[in-house]
Amino acid sequence: MSGKERFPVFPSRMAQSLMKTRLKGAQTGRNLLKKKADALTIRFRQILKRIIETKTLMGTVMKEAAFSLAEAKFTMGDFSQQILQNVNKASIKVKAKKDNVAGVQLPIFESFKDGNPPMDLTGLSRGGQQMKKLRDNYEKAIEVLIDLASLQTSFIALDDVIKITNRRVNAIEHVIIPKIENTVNYIISELDEMEREEFFRLKKVQEKNRKLKAAEDKKRQELKDQGLLKEVDAPNLLADEEDTDILFK
């Protein structure tokens, strides 16, 4: 096992415990990121479906608005200068808010009307009905366009976050977790090897002590046979014998 496939640690029980804790944390993080990616993917598909529906609706609405503009110009002539002179502020405005999806802040755009549109005399002589129809169709087109912009912005943001989350999941699953597992296996193998070495060392020490004791016993027996060594029996401390009184007689 090469050093690049594991973390550089000294094999010990403490390091093994720390690595097992890191492994459990990495597995928990991977599971949480997978759940986050699944939740974001579900919302991503919902937004994609709404984008397709909104784009289809956008084509229909814009076609009706363009047709209404053609009708109004045919009836009233060129009225663009009159509209520009009478309008000094937008009647439809946009406000933004945030939507939290699995910890991801998605921008949401909503349209609202800021007062009533200026009621000038445009179309009073002729074409008033076409002018009202034109205004209503373009207001609807603006609302659909704002909704589409909100969906596409959320779509792009979710796409980036899903890619980042999937990369993190892959990194944890295919790089970090195998590296920690290799480190744990390395620590276990090294500790087992150290235990085997210690057991072998103890056996060698016991064998050496046994040989020394056997040589010492042999030498003692030779001295006994030659009469150079006399063994004195040690007194029995548990025997019921009366000691001689030394102080008082």
Side-chain angles (χ1 to χ4, degrees), residues 58-107:
M58 188 71 191
T60 304
V61 171
M62 290 302 295
K63 182 175 67 175
E64 293 178 356
F67 188 70
S68 300
L69 179 61
E71 285 182 342
K73 284 187 176 181
F74 179 77
T75 305
M76 302 170 55
D78 189 9
F79 52 87
S80 58
Q81 293 298 325
Q82 299 177 16
I83 298 296
L84 292 175
Q85 290 176 2
N86 291 316
V87 174
N88 53 11
K89 69 174 183 177
S91 60
I92 297 179
K93 295 184 178 180
V94 180
K95 63 180 179 180
K97 65 179 184 178
K98 298 289 185 179
D99 186 16
N100 191 348
V101 180
V104 180
Q105 300 293 330
L106 298 179

Side-chain angles (χ1 to χ4, degrees), residues 25-36:
Q27 292 173 346
T28 303
R30 176 197 59 187
N31 295 334
L32 290 176
L33 285 176
K34 277 188 174 181
K35 290 181 180 180
K36 178 181 178 179

Side-chain angles (χ1 to χ4, degrees), residues 220-235:
R220 184 185 295 273
Q221 187 63 36
E222 290 177 353
L223 292 175
K224 283 182 181 180
D225 295 340
Q226 295 175 5
L228 300 176
L229 179 65
K230 294 182 180 180
E231 292 185 355
V232 180
D233 295 334

Side-chain angles (χ1 to χ4, degrees), residues 143-182:
E143 292 176 357
V144 175
L145 185 62
I146 293 172
D147 191 16
L148 181 60
S150 175
L151 292 173
Q152 287 185 336
T153 305
S154 300
F155 180 85
I156 295 173
L158 275 180
D159 187 34
D160 293 338
V161 173
I162 289 173
K163 289 179 181 178
I164 294 172
T165 305
N166 288 332
R167 282 198 295 267
R168 289 177 178 173
V169 171
N170 293 331
I172 293 175
E173 188 170 2
H174 300 291
V175 177
I176 296 177
I177 290 180
K179 200 170 182 180
I180 296 176
E181 290 177 347
N182 291 337

Side-chain angles (χ1 to χ4, degrees), residues 13 52 63 101 116 121 239:
R13 297 295 179 185
I52 296 174
K63 182 175 67 175
V101 180
N116 295 322
L121 300 179

Side-chain angles (χ1 to χ4, degrees), residues 2-15:
S2 64
K4 294 182 180 179
E5 297 176 356
R6 59 176 176 82
F7 292 99
V9 296
F10 181 78
S12 63
R13 297 295 179 185
M14 180 63 69

Side-chain angles (χ1 to χ4, degrees), residues 191-212:
L191 291 177
D192 291 342
E193 184 67 24
M194 291 169 63
E195 289 179 359
R196 286 191 294 269
E197 291 177 356
E198 183 67 17
F199 180 72
F200 181 76
R201 187 185 67 81
L202 290 176
K203 286 190 67 176
K204 283 293 184 181
V205 170
Q206 290 178 356
E207 184 179 355
K208 185 176 181 180
N209 291 335
R210 192 180 303 111
K211 289 181 179 179
L212 291 174

